Amino acid sequence: EKLELKDHPEKGVYVKDLSDFIVKGVDQLYQVMEAGQKNRSVASTLMNNESSRSHSIFTITVESAEPGTNGEQSVKSGKLNMVDLAGSERQSKTGATGDTLKEATKINLSLSALGNVISALVDTKANSRGANFIPYRDSKLTRLLQDSLGGNTKTVMVANCGPADYNYDETISTLRYAYRAKSIKNKPSVNQDPK
């Protein structure tokens, strides 16, 4: 099923027809996360019995309200995007064929687009003029993560690496990717809206 991206002046980029849930606590949040995880596409490859066949983005928006200095309600909000990227795959190691191979090709293309965005952001921040083009529109993944990468946010990446020497090339590639992401420097500010 194709996911259609939309742009909203307040929400930013979002996926049309996805569900939003209001939760009041951690237990309810876990229930929503578990429901989303059950929809995740996985398949068996030579490298992994339950290989992710897609990226997963779980977005949490937190709002808090308190009385402002002028007596009106003030709302602070923050958004947390938790992203689980499907790993880059070499066909020779996974043995992927058919639909699984097509999925791997799409995964690798979107990871490449994300790498290009991260590199452009790091190069732009290092460039005193900061005028480089950032190719967010090259993939749906980078378009959805535009605010998280170069916007009013802090960006953190957790890299999952295996100790086996058989996976040396993948481990080095992952660490380079994470190092570039770590080099993104944003200056987030408080999102506050008087209500």
Side-chain angles (χ1 to χ4, degrees), residues 154-166:
K154 290 189 177 186
T155 303
V156 177
M157 177 182 232
V158 177
N160 184 10
C161 300
D165 60 355
Y166 176 74

Side-chain angles (χ1 to χ4, degrees), residues 95-117:
T97 58
D99 288 343
T100 305
L101 179 59
K102 288 178 188 173
E103 290 165 344
T105 301
K106 289 180 182 178
I107 288 166
N108 290 342
L109 285 172
S110 66
L111 289 173
S112 178
L114 179 58
N116 291 340
V117 166

